[in-house]
Amino acid sequence: MSPHINLTQFIVKQQRTNPQSTGDLSGLINDIASACKEISHLVNRSGIMGIGGVAESENVQGEVQKELDIITNDVMVNHLNWTGHLAAMASEEIEEIIQIPKQFPKGKYLITFDPLDGSSNIDINLSVGTIFSILRCPDGVTEPTEATFKQKGIEQVCAGFCVYGPTTMLIITTGNGVDGFTLDQDVGEFILTHPKMTIPEDTNEFAINMSNQRFWEESVQRYINECMQGVDGGRDKNFNMRWVASMVAEVYRVLTRGGIFLYPIDNKPLTEGGKLRLMYEASPMSFIVEQAGGISSTGRERIMEITPEGVHQRVPVILGSKNEVERIISYHQD
Ligand code: AHM
Ligand code: MG
C-alpha cells in the first residue's frame, strides 16, 4: 500500500470507528470530492475553454453571475443528485431549494453550497473555491422545503471547502478536527497532506476590506485602528494586513498560520446585515474554524448558534485566532 493516505481511505477509516455508520456520509463526501476535481479542472482550463467571462444573468442576491458560477453549480448538482445520499440541495446560485429528480432515490442528508466562491477573482487568476455544509434531513421529511434547511450551524454533520489555488486543496471536518488534502493532479486523488490543522491563538495579521471603513460600527473601527497603530497605539505588536477578496483563500491562510478575517456588519444598503451568506459561507467556515481551535462570531453571537431565517440570509463574520476574536467580541460588549 502507498505511504500516502488518500481521502477515500481516510473517510473509510473514520467510518469504521462508528459501528452504526451506513457509509452514506462517506459516499456523499466522495461525490463532493469528485465534483471538486471536475471544478478544479474547469477553473484551470477556463481561459482556454473560453468560459471565464460574465454570464447574462444575476443570481438570487442580484449579483452578476460569471459563466463559471453557472457551470460549476451544474457540476455540483449533477454529481450529487443521483447517488441517493441527499434529500435536497440549496445553492448560492439558485433561489429555490433544488429537489432530487423523481427517477433517483432520496437519501438522509441535505447539502448547501457555494459552487464557486470568490468568482469575481477568476479573470485576475486568484484563488477561488467551493464551500459546502451537510445537514441531516429530519426523519419523516420526504419533500424538504426551505424550512427543512433552517438548522443551526451546530447541527452540521460535515463542512468543508476546496480551494483552487496554486494547488487544489480540500479541507474537511466531520466534528473531529480539521484535515487538509492536496489534489494529486496526475493520479486524480486527494492526498492527506495537512492532518489536524490548528489555528494559532495569537496573530499579527488581519484581513478586512478597508474600503468599507466608513460604514463599520464603532467596535470594528476601534479594533482595526488599534491594529493599524500597532506598538505606537495600545497594542504590544505591529500588524500586517491581507485582503484576497476570496473567503476560501482567507480561511485557508488563517488555518495555516493564524490570522483574523472580518466581513462585519455595515450600513451600505446592499450588504445590510453583513455580506456573507450564513448557510453556505459563514456556517461551514465557522464549523471548520472552531474545529481547528479558532472562534467565529458576528461580534455579538456565535455564528454556529444562529437560527437561520432563510437559506440565502447574510450575516456579519469575524473569525480566526482565538485571542483576537475574543478581543473584538469584548469591544462589541463595551
Ligand atoms: P461571492 O460569493 O459572490 O464570491 O462573494 C463572497 C466573497 C468572499 O469570498 C470574499 O470574502 C468577499 O466576497 C469579498 O468581498 P469584497 O468584494 O467586498 O472584497
Ligand atoms: Mg460566495
Side-chain angles (χ1 to χ4, degrees):
M1 197 158 128
S2 129
H4 297 302
I5 296 180
N6 66 33
L7 180 68
T8 309
Q9 290 163 331
F10 179 85
I11 52 184
V12 167
K13 238 171 112 185
Q14 274 203 340
Q15 186 189 316
R16 284 180 185 155
T17 63
N18 176 5
Q20 264 94 53
S21 172
T22 57
D24 261 315
L25 183 62
S26 305
L28 178 53
I29 294 171
N30 264 325
D31 294 344
I32 296 166
S34 301
C36 290
K37 285 180 209 171
E38 189 173 338
I39 295 173
S40 173
H41 175 77
L42 286 166
V43 165
N44 194 256
R45 292 187 56 84
S46 57
I48 296 165
M49 293 164 80
I51 53 170
V54 173
E56 285 170 5
S57 54
E58 287 185 349
N59 68 8
V60 57
Q61 335 282 339
E63 296 158 345
V64 174
Q65 286 179 306
K66 297 278 176 125
E67 282 174 287
L68 271 173
D69 285 326
I70 298 166
I71 295 169
T72 55
N73 182 72
D74 289 347
V75 170
M76 287 295 280
V77 170
N78 292 335
H79 273 271
L80 302 177
N81 71 0
W82 63 280
T83 47
H85 304 305
L86 288 171
M89 300 175 256
S91 163
E92 172 171 346
E93 303 305 331
I94 307 284
E95 179 153 15
E96 304 81 25
I97 299 305
I98 306 166
Q99 301 294 345
I100 302 300
K102 292 261 175 298
Q103 67 268 33
F104 300 133
K106 281 189 191 171
K108 60 184 179 199
Y109 294 109
L110 303 170
I111 191 167
T112 62
F113 56 83
D114 179 352
L116 201 61
D117 185 61
S119 55
S120 61
N121 283 326
I122 275 290
D123 38 5
I124 55 168
N125 202 19
L126 282 184
S127 297
V128 290
T130 302
I131 312 173
F132 64 91
S133 160
I134 300 174
L135 297 161
R136 276 193 190 81
C137 184
D139 286 345
V141 176
T142 51
E143 299 291 327
T145 63
E146 184 169 14
T148 324
F149 279 81
K150 290 200 258 173
Q151 303 180 31
K152 293 181 182 181
I154 48 174
E155 305 291 344
Q156 290 173 99
V157 177
C158 171
F161 68 91
C162 192
V163 54
Y164 313 110
T167 58
T168 290
M169 289 209 55
L170 183 65
I171 311 299
I172 206 157
T173 184
T174 53
N176 184 25
V178 178
D179 296 284
F181 300 81
T182 304
L183 180 60
D184 181 334
Q185 306 272 4
D186 294 334
V187 183
E189 271 182 0
F190 281 104
I191 306 296
L192 179 64
T193 48
H194 296 61
K196 297 286 164 260
M197 300 178 89
T198 51
I199 300 174
E201 290 190 353
D202 288 297
T203 182
N204 60 355
E205 214 163 57
F206 69 92
I208 193 164
N209 183 342
M210 286 296 293
S211 68
N212 292 329
Q213 182 169 23
R214 69 188 185 283
F215 305 111
W216 301 333
E217 293 185 302
E218 185 51 40
S219 44
V220 176
Q221 300 276 6
R222 175 180 168 194
Y223 176 76
I224 296 296
N225 279 337
E226 286 178 3
C227 291
M228 308 271 280
Q229 296 292 319
V231 292
D232 296 330
R235 299 299 307 259
D236 58 355
K237 54 188 169 185
N238 290 323
F239 282 76
N240 201 353
M241 197 194 90
R242 291 283 178 273
W243 186 251
V244 192
S246 175
M247 193 188 197
V248 288
E250 319 269 13
V251 173
Y252 185 76
R253 186 186 61 249
V254 167
L255 282 168
T256 38
R257 64 176 190 221
I260 178 161
F261 166 86
L262 304 91
Y263 215 114
I265 195 164
D266 60 44
N267 59 11
K268 283 196 296 183
L270 181 70
T271 56
E272 259 165 8
K275 175 181 182 185
L276 299 173
R277 275 53 61 110
L278 174 61
M279 293 209 67
Y280 38 80
E281 292 175 334
S283 198
M285 289 309 202
S286 299
F287 191 14
I288 290 165
V289 164
E290 287 191 5
Q291 283 293 317
I295 299 188
S296 180
S297 169
T298 62
R300 293 183 168 78
E301 61 186 322
R302 184 181 170 208
I303 289 177
M304 293 272 281
E305 283 178 24
I306 297 175
T307 304
E309 287 164 13
V311 158
H312 299 291
Q313 174 185 353
R314 296 173 189 267
V315 285
V317 175
I318 299 169
L319 60 76
S321 292
K322 181 172 175 288
N323 292 337
E324 293 300 312
V325 181
E326 277 176 351
R327 178 183 282 263
I328 304 181
I329 292 172
S330 76
Y331 289 1
H332 278 77
Q333 285 156 358
D334 292 348

